[in-house]
Amino acid sequence: MTVSILDEVGGRRPDVNQQNCPSRLVLEHVTSRWGVLVLGALLARSYRFSELRRTVGGVSEKMLAQTLQTLERDGFVHRDAKPVIPPRVDYSLTPLGREAAERVWELARWSEQWLDTVESAREAYDTRRGQSG
Amino acid sequence: MTVSILDEVGGRRPDVNQQNCPSRLVLEHVTSRWGVLVLGALLARSYRFSELRRTVGGVSEKMLAQTLQTLERDGFVHRDAKPVIPPRVDYSLTPLGREAAERVWELARWSEQWLDTVESAREAYDTRRGQSG
């Protein structure tokens, strides 16, 4: 941890609970709606833009481009523009991006696994609220 | 997995990559800006509303109430209204909520840990773009 970073958070270690801590922005990028899914897809292999767009259901061209650019700027995604005709651009994870991706994808898989339980909890909650309301 | 849930995702298993899969909403609740921080705080102990608001820097009363209600409805947070004078409400994690919280908090800690590296990557990216632009 460099001195400059420590200064930015007021001489303390990064702390996501602090309103102005820049670590919040790192967390928000890897947990963003499309960030999670893009990182997760790239865990399997590298992708071209159009392949990624087909894999991540519902993402617009604009949102995918923005998400990839944010993740590239943060050092999580490597953009490899190959000097071939026609032009070919491949996106892959950096070693740091892989660490983030493994963690968020674990959470995505967990969400799929417990969907049934969560939906039952919601029904029970709504029934309780309906009775008391 | 019950038949009803499978039907909702068109006979397939939940898959966050599918645009209409309800597992996306579970993932979005636990990775929301305030959801992550509320779950993380509750990993340590139960909290009263006002304590939680002081712990999670920058959260408004309205956003904290909404976040707690969403997490309670999903079955991640238990709301315990004690019949005492003055009224006292404690929020704590359910066993399922603890599983979610451990995963998202790991990601939050990871974001704090690698902040320095991410900020260096951003500087390098901006320098490259500045040179080529």
Side-chain angles (χ1 to χ4, degrees), chain A residues 5 15-17 24 28 33 57 69 73-74 99 103 106 110 112 116 119 122 125-126 129, chain B residues 5 15-17 24 28 57 69 73-74 99 103 106 110 112 116 119 122 125-126 129:
Chain A
I5 302 291
D15 176 359
V16 290
N17 275 319
R24 279 199 176 174
E28 282 166 24
R33 174 180 303 203
Q69 192 180 2
R73 183 168 179 262
D74 282 355
E99 283 201 20
R103 286 166 171 79
E106 153 80 7
W110 185 91
E112 293 169 347
D116 197 19
E119 294 203 325
R122 286 180 194 153
Y125 178 91
D126 292 344
R129 296 279 284 216
Chain B
I5 302 292
D15 177 358
V16 291
N17 275 320
R24 278 200 177 174
E28 281 167 24
Q69 192 181 359
R73 184 167 179 263
D74 282 356
E99 284 201 20
R103 286 166 171 78
E106 153 81 7
W110 185 91
E112 293 169 346
D116 196 20
E119 295 202 323
R122 287 180 193 151
Y125 178 92
D126 293 345
R129 297 279 284 216

Side-chain angles (χ1 to χ4, degrees), chain A residues 98-118:
Chain A
R98 179 160 292 273
E99 283 201 20
E102 282 166 354
R103 286 166 171 79
V104 298
W105 201 238
E106 153 80 7
L107 202 54
R109 288 285 177 230
W110 185 91
S111 299
E112 293 169 347
Q113 187 186 344
W114 293 98
L115 170 60
D116 197 19
T117 304
V118 170

Side-chain angles (χ1 to χ4, degrees), chain A residues 2-3 7-8 16 21 31 33 35 43 54 64 71 73 77 79-81 95 98 100 113 116 120 124 131:
Chain A
T2 66
V3 171
D7 286 347
E8 280 180 46
V16 290
C21 183
T31 57
R33 174 180 303 203
L43 262 183
R54 282 193 296 275
L64 181 55
L71 295 174
R73 183 168 179 262
V77 163
R79 182 179 184 279
D80 183 20
R98 179 160 292 273
Q113 187 186 344
D116 197 19
S120 298
Q131 282 167 353

Side-chain angles (χ1 to χ4, degrees), chain B residues 9-56:
Chain B
V9 289
R12 295 185 301 271
R13 295 174 59 87
D15 177 358
V16 291
N17 275 320
Q18 299 298 317
Q19 185 167 6
N20 298 317
C21 183
S23 65
R24 278 200 177 174
L25 206 59
V26 180
L27 183 59
E28 281 167 24
H29 292 171
V30 298
T31 57
S32 74
R33 175 182 303 203
W34 303 117
V36 169
L37 300 176
V38 166
L39 289 168
L42 293 174
L43 263 182
R45 62 173 177 91
S46 67
Y47 276 88
R48 299 174 72 166
F49 187 90
S50 55
E51 291 176 318
L52 208 41
R53 207 179 149 204
R54 282 193 296 275
T55 301
V56 177

